[in-house]
Amino acid sequence: MSRVLSGIQPTGDLHLGNLLGAVRNWVEDQHTDDSFYCVVDLHALTVPKGPGELAAASLELAQCLIASGLDPEVCTLFVQSHVPQHAELGWIMQCVCGFGQLERMTQFKDKSERRDFVSAALFTYPALQAADILLYDADRVPVGEDQRQHIELTRDLAERFNHRYGDTFTVPEASIPRAGARVMDLQNPTDKMSKSADSPAGTVLLTDPPDAVIKKFKRAVTDSDGVVAFDVANKPGVTNLLSILGAATGRDPEALAGEYTQYGPLKADTGEAVVALLEPLQMRLAELRQDPAETSRLLRVGADKAGAVAESTMERVRAAVGFLPR
Ligand code: TYM
């Protein structure tokens, strides 16, 4: 059975981009692959937060993931800091990774702009991400388009390590969905939808009530020529709506374009399709919130399963790099 690993940062509510670009595919993969999904709290620490926020955000995100359909009895769902081997291998991957390679990461450039404080860890972040993946000998890493460069780097680091120290790691592949890989902001459709967007009206959250979702789609920025066409370069707003509607309904976005002559009905149908997608998730989330101790228990079980795999990889790694056995 092939092995899958992916991760998500506990930095605010899950949004439609996370759901369509990643989590929805994880839910499918868990039934066909040996799947590991990680709430990456060490990564979230690269940008400072208020005290106490991180633990709450990690638990909440785990609940959102379970509500979205991850079944901890089927996959291995865990929190990164519960498995200290991530930090250990993260250091070793920093030693394998070139400074110039990190300088080329576009996510670092984006994330370090307009910040007063840029931590060293924000820069070395992709080395830790490589460790997350390589610890589990993942064959495939299901992610959205924005993570492609990080997975390419992971492949390079795995190959360099294997060349330098002998065959140790599986070289993973990125697995990027055909539909939903890059959901754009509804207000600024040339930027990707993200939790840190300037305007909350551009981001649809898993927890948004139906009327808020409908309103966000109604107000989505399109353009003034009134033609419904799938054209990323010239009609980013309309194309984003078609892509979301396609991803939410399993239909081809280009074919959908032929069914609309006006923006109003396209916006209304997309809003309704997203409400239908989110409603059952929100109901499950409300139930899960009644019993946070149960989610914590499931995460402990996940950490035990993940920790066993991670430790066996680390035994190989420690021997390969030549640490003195204790
Ligand atoms: P993060 O937390 O930003 O996003 C989690 C997942 O959601 C996808 N995604 C999107 N997909 C489509 N459209 C969007 N607008 C959109 N926004 C986010 C991301 O591609 C991702 O798959 N560095 C990673 C977390 C990470 C990780 C890993 C991923 C840490 N270790 C190991 C895979 C394997 C991140 O910040 O994702």
Side-chain angles (χ1 to χ4, degrees), residues 5-11 14-23 26 36 38-41 43-44 61 80 86 107 111 125-126 128-134 140-148 150-151 154 175-177 179-185 191-195 240:
L5 176 126
S6 203
I8 180 164
Q9 291 199 60
T11 45
L14 207 70
H15 60 71
L16 191 62
N18 299 136
L19 206 58
L20 297 180
V23 177
W26 304 357
F36 288 72
C38 184
V39 172
V40 293
D41 54 349
H43 281 95
L61 179 56
Q80 190 182 27
H86 286 254
Q107 288 242 322
K111 288 193 177 176
Y125 176 119
L128 179 60
Q129 181 163 348
D132 299 339
I133 298 165
L134 300 178
R140 248 172 9 92
V141 188
V143 286
E145 180 62 46
D146 63 344
Q147 295 299 315
R148 188 187 288 278
H150 287 167
I151 313 304
T154 302
S175 178
I176 296 173
R182 194 167 171 78
V183 176
M184 309 308 279
D185 187 287
D191 292 343
K192 71 172 182 188
M193 187 177 284
S194 83
K195 299 168 230 194
N240 190 37

Side-chain angles (χ1 to χ4, degrees), residues 146-265:
D146 63 344
Q147 295 299 315
R148 188 187 288 278
Q149 196 187 28
H150 287 167
I151 313 304
E152 279 304 313
L153 177 73
T154 302
R155 291 172 57 83
D156 288 349
L157 299 186
E159 279 165 3
R160 181 175 302 155
F161 188 103
N162 287 347
H163 183 71
R164 193 182 282 178
Y165 298 112
D167 219 6
T168 307
F169 293 126
T170 301
V171 181
E173 273 181 23
S175 178
I176 296 173
R178 245 171 29 86
R182 194 167 171 78
V183 176
M184 309 308 279
D185 187 287
L186 298 183
Q187 289 299 315
N188 300 299
T190 49
D191 292 343
K192 71 172 182 188
M193 187 177 284
S194 83
K195 299 168 230 194
S196 54
D198 293 337
S199 151
T203 304
V204 177
L205 301 177
L206 169 74
T207 48
D208 278 344
D211 55 337
V213 174
I214 300 285
K215 205 190 240 173
K216 285 181 182 179
F217 279 99
K218 211 169 176 181
R219 295 190 180 158
V221 167
T222 46
D223 52 43
S224 55
D225 71 11
V227 178
V228 178
F230 190 90
D231 179 347
V232 180
N234 299 309
K235 300 182 73 66
V238 174
T239 301
N240 190 37
L241 292 174
L242 290 166
S243 300
I244 294 172
L245 181 59
T249 57
R251 309 233 358 240
D252 175 40
E254 294 187 44
L256 283 169
E259 294 176 17
Y260 292 91
T261 51
Q262 287 179 312
Y263 296 159

Side-chain angles (χ1 to χ4, degrees), residues 53-121:
E53 270 179 52
L54 189 56
S58 296
L59 186 71
E60 165 81 13
L61 179 56
Q63 290 174 330
C64 286
L65 293 172
I66 298 171
S68 302
L70 288 188
D71 180 349
E73 310 261 330
V74 175
C75 65
T76 304
L77 176 64
F78 66 105
V79 175
Q80 190 182 27
S81 65
H82 293 176
V83 181
Q85 288 83 354
H86 286 254
E88 185 181 3
L89 185 59
W91 177 258
I92 295 173
M93 295 324 290
Q94 283 188 50
C95 300
V96 175
C97 188
F99 190 86
Q101 285 180 296
L102 291 174
E103 273 182 321
R104 287 193 288 279
M105 294 294 120
T106 56
Q107 288 242 322
F108 174 72
K109 290 178 198 157
D110 295 345
K111 288 193 177 176
S112 57
E113 266 173 18
R114 291 180 292 153
R115 271 190 206 289
D116 300 334
F117 174 76
V118 177
S119 66

